[in-house]
């Protein structure tokens, strides 16, 4: 059974409320990406701040984690605009790869670690699972963006219906 592109193409008679309703899942995903990226920043920056307070060496792994969190937060805000989201699926893949590396890096260090009452180990174990959630959210939006790009880029313009988009 072949995919019927015409069935899913934009129509010039679509209402603005239907248009907003179709963008709601993307906005929810981008909001969740922002919230979890800020959570990553908060979880990993605690150790950077503690090392800075005692004038100690801070590991580059934690700096990488904070940098990926900042990239994720800023990207989720910029890509929340639906026009950028359709074209930004490549960037979604890049951020997905960054979070995959982050999950692999800290997952290897902390998934099998026994907390034994240490709050820092518990926090880092939780941070690993937040990294996994981020990784999955960025994967979902990358796939969504690819679908939007490859299936809807040849549709007609919204206002006149004459131009190919």
């Amino acid at each position: 059974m072949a995919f019927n592109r015409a069935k899913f193409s934009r129509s010039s008679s679509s209402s603005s409320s239907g248009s907003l309703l179709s963008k709601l899942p993307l906005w929810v995903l981008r909001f969740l990406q922002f919230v979890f990226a800020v959570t990553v920043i908060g979880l990993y920056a605690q150790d950077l701040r503690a090392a800075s307070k005692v004038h100690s060496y801070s590991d580059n792994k934690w700096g990488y984690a904070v940098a990926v969190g900042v990239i994720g937060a800023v990207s989720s805000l910029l890509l929340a605009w639906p026009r950028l989201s359709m074209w930004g699926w490549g960037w979604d893949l890049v951020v997905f790869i960054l979070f995959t590396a982050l999950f692999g890096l800290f997952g290897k260090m902390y998934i099998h670690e026994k907390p034994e009452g240490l709050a820092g180990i518990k926090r880092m174990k939780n941070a690993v699972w937040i990294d996994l959630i981020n990784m999955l959210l960025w994967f979902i939006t990358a796939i969504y963006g690819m679908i939007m790009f490859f299936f809807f880029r040849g549709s007609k313009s919204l206002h006149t219906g004459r131009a190919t988009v």
Side-chain angles (χ1 to χ4, degrees), residues 20-92:
L20 287 176
L21 191 59
S22 68
K23 294 175 181 129
L24 186 63
L26 176 67
W27 288 337
V28 168
L29 284 171
R30 295 296 183 194
F31 175 74
L32 289 173
Q33 286 174 336
F34 177 76
V35 168
F36 284 112
V38 170
T39 304
V40 165
I41 295 167
L43 287 170
Y44 289 100
Q46 290 179 25
D47 291 333
L48 290 177
R49 184 172 156 246
S52 175
K53 274 187 170 181
V54 295
H55 304 290
S56 175
Y57 167 75
S58 59
D59 197 350
N60 289 335
K61 294 173 189 172
W62 276 258
Y64 172 76
V66 171
V68 170
V70 169
I71 289 169
V74 171
S75 297
S76 66
L77 291 176
L78 292 176
L79 293 173
W81 193 43
R83 290 245 183 237
L84 285 178
S85 179
M86 184 172 140
W87 297 94
W89 61 269
W91 184 249
D92 282 338

Side-chain angles (χ1 to χ4, degrees), residues 105-119:
L105 179 69
F106 284 95
K108 185 176 180 181
M109 291 170 54
Y110 288 104
I111 286 179
H112 299 293
E113 188 75 24
K114 303 286 186 234
E116 299 172 3
L118 298 174

